[in-house]
Amino acid sequence: MDFTPTEDQAEARDLAARIFADLATHERLRAAGTGSDPELWKALCGAGLVAAVAELGLLGLVLLLEEQGRTTAQVPYAASCVYGQLTIAAHGTDDQRARLLPGIGDGSVVVAGAFPAQQGVRPSARGGLSGTVPVVPWLRDATHVLVADAGRQLWLVPLGVGTGTGTRIEEVELTAPWSAGRLVLDEAPAEILGSGPGPDSGPDVYADVLATARTAFAGLQAGVCAGSLARVVAHTNTREQFGRPLATRQAVQLRAADAHMDTEAIRVTAYEAAWRRDAGLPYATHALTAAWWASEAGQRVVHTGQHLHGGAGADVGHPVHRHFLWGRQLDAYLGSGSEVLQELGELIASGS
């Protein structure tokens, strides 16, 4: 295994870091409220950082999402790259790739993901899709949503003007400001991802997309935790108590050290799962391992970040509080620690 970024991956990561640092500032995030930042999204797409994911692979995307997580930048980057760019490139038909990938790359098409599979969503005999998905992150920004139905079949549902009366979006607020919505489908127009039932669709593809998403969002969590920890270092080195910086206190050092080790565990497990996918190797158990670390260790790190800021950490307007909100949202998204641990155990026991 070699997780050293390629030259292209390193250049893309550095460019993303500059764009996020310049545009995802505390002031701009505060002004955005719970919505996304269209100017930042335009800058990312204009720099080719969405289209480039097709060549950079999942490991490249994980590197880019780390940079987003450091700043908690409010754009649908992870969702559109995972559920749109990577999924359609890997599992879509030639027509779907030709029709959707250029728009995803330039940002005019944004894909959200209704994942995990929704038991209440089912296709009808007339070819429409019906049911309710309680929460879909970034749905309010999306032009399309990738829906996993009760049978783990994947569907692309167009949103917005001209999609008919079968689709309704209701605004929902999550712990983190992810422009989420409730998706209500009533004989909604939809197309199967890929060529229909068979090896190019169905449960096997669902499992691959879910594993890809878990790996990508683990990379995002690694960045959220790294950003929280960086704020801890800055705060405890400058904040004095009884004539000494907080960072000189052994209890503070131990908490920060534990948070650093947890962050590295999230990062390395996400890197390994992403690298294996890009190399064409089995990675289902590795994706679950990364998801477990992202959930269990992630919530520990963001709690530490808030705790070591003292009273300032309890201020909802403080930058570290956003890391706390993102970390807790990512802790539960796509399966909490106990859920993915059970799934991992069952997968290992089955010998798959």
Side-chain angles (χ1 to χ4, degrees), residues 51-73:
V53 170
E55 299 297 329
L56 298 176
L58 183 54
L59 180 56
L61 177 59
V62 165
L63 294 169
L64 297 171
L65 291 177
E66 276 192 80
E67 301 307 323
Q68 180 186 5
R70 290 179 199 276
T71 58
T72 60

Side-chain angles (χ1 to χ4, degrees), residues 329-340:
Q329 187 67 58
L330 285 163
D331 165 26
Y333 184 51
L334 299 179
S336 66
S338 58
E339 290 173 326
V340 297

Side-chain angles (χ1 to χ4, degrees), residues 228-244:
S228 177
L229 192 55
R231 294 189 183 280
V232 165
V233 171
H235 175 76
T236 58
N237 274 287
T238 55
R239 173 71 170 172
E240 291 191 0
Q241 194 175 65
F242 304 113
R244 293 169 54 193

Side-chain angles (χ1 to χ4, degrees), residues 29-185:
L29 288 168
R30 185 165 53 186
T34 61
S36 58
D37 186 337
E39 184 178 341
L40 174 55
W41 182 240
K42 182 178 179 180
L44 289 169
C45 295
L49 291 176
V50 177
V53 170
E55 299 297 329
L56 298 176
L58 183 54
L59 180 56
L61 177 59
V62 165
L63 294 169
L64 297 171
L65 291 177
E66 276 192 80
E67 301 307 323
Q68 180 186 5
R70 290 179 199 276
T71 58
T72 60
Q74 291 172 203
V75 286
Y77 195 34
S80 203
C81 287
V82 170
Y83 301 121
Q85 184 75 270
L86 291 179
T87 294
I88 295 172
H91 303 295
T93 63
D94 290 341
D95 173 69
Q96 288 168 342
R97 287 192 287 267
R99 180 160 36 93
L100 296 171
L101 289 181
I104 294 171
D106 66 25
S108 60
V109 174
V110 175
V111 184
F115 273 68
Q118 305 297 315
Q119 292 302 314
V121 177
R122 297 183 181 278
S124 71
R126 289 183 288 174
L129 205 60
S130 296
T132 299
V133 185
V135 176
V136 181
W138 305 109
L139 184 63
R140 298 188 330 245
D141 293 332
T143 62
H144 295 72
V145 58
L146 184 69
V147 178
D149 69 16
R152 298 191 172 185
Q153 175 67 63
L154 302 187
W155 301 78
L156 281 167
V157 179
L159 306 174
V161 178
T163 59
T165 59
T167 305
R168 188 171 79 252
I169 296 173
E170 300 171 355
E171 188 170 316
V172 172
E173 296 301 341
L174 303 181
T175 301
W178 285 1
S179 295
R182 178 180 294 107
L183 181 66
V184 182
L185 304 170

